């Protein structure tokens, strides 16, 4: 998984609310209790630039994001524009968006906001035509809910600036796909600035390698380190012009055949302008590569161009999700047999074998596959796998991960277990006493694993019989004889 790779390499920003939910890079925290309350945070683009001679208002998205899995009830959002100067005009969201406006403040109500969800309101800003006064000002947003401990606030800067390109990407709807299925990603872009872009770059990124991106166009390159497909287009995009990816040359996103589910994966698309120099380099590379090119339609006439940066990069990205239904993975417990010869030191490897057909779900904030390992009596543990924690007084002691303490441990894979593979946890132990009852490993395969009959395996100590001895004197003058015995190999 590659969460939050930088978009700055093509001039894009990553200020997309809620993307943290797509980055499941931490170990599972199923051990944590469900939150007693929720937090709802307002989101605004940090900076919005508007040409001082713009003839149309610039749209700003104001979001409210529920950062917990618990649904937020009776959410209230306030958007305040009273600190904008006379040079800047603004239109707040109204009744059609569930808001009421009074004295430069919009109050918006939402009955419920699901856990991890974001709801957007739209407002507009632009030059008012007033010649005097400040060129910039601030807007603020405050949100709270019935089941939050308190309100959260943020603010953003709006300023008038010179002419420029301002590309905006269209929203992309969430989709549901079965493993092995694919979808064409509908990417559309519009230049709401007042300067023509020489050309544009389109990016499609996955936030998990269970989502696959095609790489079949000569004007696109795939980066496996960031799981992103980057395409460029030698087409000018003028003010108020809109382009979409040609359905005849689609950008396709596929769910891998072994992708685990149920799970919701994250993806993102983005756009950025290219100047003439960048285009010349990329066109040359594409001609050498040959093959079919990804196309944008409709075609546009060659307008006057100039090299400008994008005025606002916060609206250059669109995040969306791909929901995959239940895809089973048969998790099987792998036990072990330990040589119980007194004084012997053994490395014991037990774990989880995934018989497929899907990979197991990787750890996230809600759940992760695990194994409860009870080593047999008669062993003293010397070394513990770093992914295992001792069970103390019936509970995992997470502060002692990888530390030997007793005979019972909870172990968790740090990532998904691929179909057909085995993930083993290693323990080093001494045989220090008579063999007691056999130990066990019990695997939790979660919702993907309806067959629990093979989720338990034994960890047993075998007493190895002596099968031969030999005695010899060290010298003719030394007594007694030296006796050496050996046992059958285990």
């Amino acid at each position: 998984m590659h969460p939050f790779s930088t978009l700055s390499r093509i001039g894009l920003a990553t200020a997309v609310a809620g993307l943290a939910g797509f980055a499941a890079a931490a170990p599972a925290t199923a051990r944590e209790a469900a939150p007693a309350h929720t937090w709802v945070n307002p989101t605004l683009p940090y900076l919005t630039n508007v040409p001082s001679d713009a003839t149309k208002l610039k749209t700003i998205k104001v979001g409210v994001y529920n950062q917990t899995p618990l649904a937020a009830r009776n959410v209230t959002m306030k958007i305040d524009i009273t600190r904008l100067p006379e040079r800047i005009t603004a239109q707040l969201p109204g009744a059609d968006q569930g808001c009421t406006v009074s004295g430069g403040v919009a109050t918006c109500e939402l009955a419920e906001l699901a856990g991890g969800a974001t709801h957007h309101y739209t407002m507009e800003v632009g030059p008012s035509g007033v010649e005097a006064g400040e060129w910039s000002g601030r807007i603020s947003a405050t949100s709270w809910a019935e089941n939050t401990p308190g309100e959260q606030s943020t603010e953003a800067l709006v300023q008038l600036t010179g002419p420029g390109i301002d590309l905006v990407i269209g929203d992309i709807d969430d989709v549901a796909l079965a493993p092995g299925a694919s979808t064409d990603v509908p990417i559309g872009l519009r230049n709401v600035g007042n300067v023509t872009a020489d050309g544009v770059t389109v990016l499609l990124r996955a936030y998990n390698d269970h989502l696959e991106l095609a790489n079949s166009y000569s004007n696109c390159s795939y980066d496996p380190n960031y799981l992103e497909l980057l395409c460029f287009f030698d087409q000018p995009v003028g003010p108020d012009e809109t382009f979409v990816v040609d359905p005849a040359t689609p950008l396709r996103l596929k769910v891998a055949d072994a992708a685990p589910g149920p799970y919701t994966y994250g993806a993102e698309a983005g756009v950025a302008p290219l100047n003439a120099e960048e285009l010349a380099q990329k066109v040359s590379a594409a001609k050498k590569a040959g093959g079919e090119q990804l196309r944008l339609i409709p075609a546009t006439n060659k307008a006057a161009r100039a090299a400008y940066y994008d005025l606002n990069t916060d609206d250059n990205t669109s995040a969306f999700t791909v929901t995959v239904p239940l895809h089973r993975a048969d998790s099987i417990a792998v036990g072990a047999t330990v040589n119980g010869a007194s004084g012997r030191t053994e490395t014991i490897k037990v774990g989880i074998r995934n018989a497929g057909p899907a990979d197991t779900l990787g750890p996230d904030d809600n759940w992760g596959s695990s194994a409860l390992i009870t080593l047999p009596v008669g062993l003293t543990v010397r070394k513990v796998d770093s992914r295992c924690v001792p069970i103390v007084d019936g509970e995992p002691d997470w502060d002692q991960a990888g530390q030997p303490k007793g005979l019972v441990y909870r172990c968790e894979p740090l990532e998904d277990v691929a179909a057909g593979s085995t993930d083993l946890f290693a323990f080093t132990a001494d045989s220090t006493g008579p063999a007691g009852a056999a130990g066990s490993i019990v695997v939790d395969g979660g919702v993907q694993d309806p067959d629990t009959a093979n989720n338990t395996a034994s960890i047993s100590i075998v007493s190895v019989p002596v099968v031969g001895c030999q005695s010899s004197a060290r010298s003719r003058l030394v007594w007694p004889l030296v006796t050496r015995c050996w046992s059958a190999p285990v």
Side-chain angles (χ1 to χ4, degrees):
M1 185 178 296
H2 305 269
F4 302 113
S5 57
T6 180
L7 285 171
S8 61
R9 292 174 296 123
I10 60 165
L12 298 181
T14 53
V16 180
L19 286 183
F22 301 144
T29 54
R31 53 188 178 268
E32 296 180 359
H37 54 75
T38 187
W39 284 107
V40 288
N41 295 333
T43 63
L44 278 168
Y46 176 74
L47 171 66
T48 298
N49 289 308
V50 183
S52 59
D53 58 348
T55 58
K56 294 184 178 181
L57 298 180
K58 166 75 177 177
T59 299
I60 297 178
K61 286 185 178 180
V62 187
V64 54
Y65 166 53
N66 183 356
Q67 69 178 39
T68 68
L70 181 68
R73 301 186 304 270
N74 297 324
V75 180
T76 300
M77 182 82 158
K78 285 194 174 182
I79 307 168
D80 187 335
I81 60 170
T82 57
R83 288 188 292 166
L84 289 179
E86 289 187 359
R87 279 185 184 269
I88 300 176
T89 186
Q91 292 183 2
L92 287 165
D96 59 331
Q97 299 187 52
C99 307
T100 58
V101 179
S102 176
V105 178
T107 302
C108 308
E109 305 285 346
L110 192 64
E112 182 175 287
L113 183 61
T118 300
H119 182 81
H120 284 110
Y121 301 94
T122 58
M123 58 174 293
E124 295 181 314
V125 295
S128 66
V130 175
E131 295 297 328
E134 298 294 327
W135 290 79
S136 66
R138 293 189 175 274
I139 56 177
S140 60
T142 304
S143 62
W144 65 92
E146 178 183 292
N147 53 339
T148 58
E151 66 180 30
Q152 298 288 302
S153 298
T154 189
E155 62 179 28
L157 181 68
V158 178
Q159 67 180 14
L160 301 180
T161 185
I165 302 163
D166 192 1
L167 296 184
V168 176
I169 191 170
D171 292 336
I172 299 174
D173 292 335
D174 299 335
V175 295
L177 292 175
S182 61
T183 184
D184 295 345
V185 181
I187 296 178
L189 61 97
R190 181 181 180 87
N191 184 359
V192 299
N194 54 4
V195 171
T196 298
D198 290 309
V200 294
T201 293
V202 170
L203 172 139
L204 181 60
R205 171 187 296 136
Y207 282 103
N208 188 292
D209 53 14
H210 285 115
L211 298 181
E212 300 174 354
L213 306 176
N215 183 28
S216 57
Y217 300 110
S218 61
N219 57 331
C220 299
S221 61
Y222 178 68
D223 187 336
N225 294 318
Y226 294 97
L227 302 179
E228 65 185 27
L229 188 69
L230 189 62
C231 307
F232 72 93
F233 301 88
D234 183 19
Q235 295 174 249
V237 179
D240 283 335
E241 290 187 327
T242 301
F243 284 81
V244 295
V245 171
D246 190 342
T249 60
L251 272 179
R252 187 156 294 168
L253 184 68
K254 178 188 175 184
V255 177
D257 294 340
Y263 198 75
T264 298
Y265 298 93
E268 182 182 31
V271 296
L274 287 174
N275 61 36
E277 182 179 351
E278 292 170 318
L279 276 173
Q281 295 173 350
K282 294 182 180 295
V283 167
S284 176
K287 288 180 178 178
K288 293 179 181 178
E292 186 179 19
Q293 289 197 6
L294 185 71
R295 297 190 297 272
L296 287 177
I297 57 173
T300 178
N301 59 350
K302 297 285 183 179
R305 306 189 222 175
Y308 284 87
Y309 293 107
D310 197 303
L311 291 176
N312 299 288
T313 58
D314 290 287
D315 49 16
N316 287 36
T317 54
S318 180
F320 62 100
T321 62
V322 179
T323 300
V324 175
L326 174 65
H327 196 195
R328 293 183 176 181
D330 186 10
S331 294
I332 301 172
V334 179
T337 300
V338 184
N339 188 340
S342 180
R344 186 181 178 95
T345 299
E346 287 282 326
T347 298
I348 306 162
K349 293 184 178 180
V350 295
I352 304 169
R353 179 166 67 87
N354 179 12
D359 299 346
T360 65
L361 287 166
D364 65 12
D365 288 340
N366 300 309
W367 181 86
S369 58
S370 63
L372 179 64
I373 297 170
T374 304
L375 298 172
V377 174
L379 298 179
T380 298
V381 181
R382 303 298 183 193
K383 188 176 180 180
V384 175
D385 196 294
S386 62
R387 299 169 296 165
C388 300
V389 298
I391 302 295
V392 180
D393 297 329
E395 297 293 333
D397 188 345
W398 301 104
D399 293 330
Q400 297 196 58
Q403 300 301 312
K405 188 170 185 178
L407 296 175
V408 185
Y409 297 84
R410 177 188 169 108
C411 302
E412 298 180 349
L414 295 182
E415 54 188 16
D416 54 14
V417 181
S421 68
T422 301
D423 193 348
L424 298 176
F425 308 102
F427 298 81
T428 301
D430 297 339
S431 296
T432 55
S440 65
I441 172 172
V442 181
V443 170
D444 178 6
V447 67
Q448 286 183 280
D449 187 21
D451 179 12
T452 58
N454 55 14
N455 285 24
T456 301
S458 66
I459 306 171
S460 58
I461 294 179
V462 175
S463 297
V464 181
V466 174
V467 298
C469 294
Q470 181 178 9
S471 300
S472 61
R474 293 177 181 172
S475 74
R476 294 180 181 179
L477 301 178
V478 176
W479 189 264
L481 295 175
V482 175
T483 303
R484 295 191 178 99
C485 299
W486 62 91
S487 56
V490 177

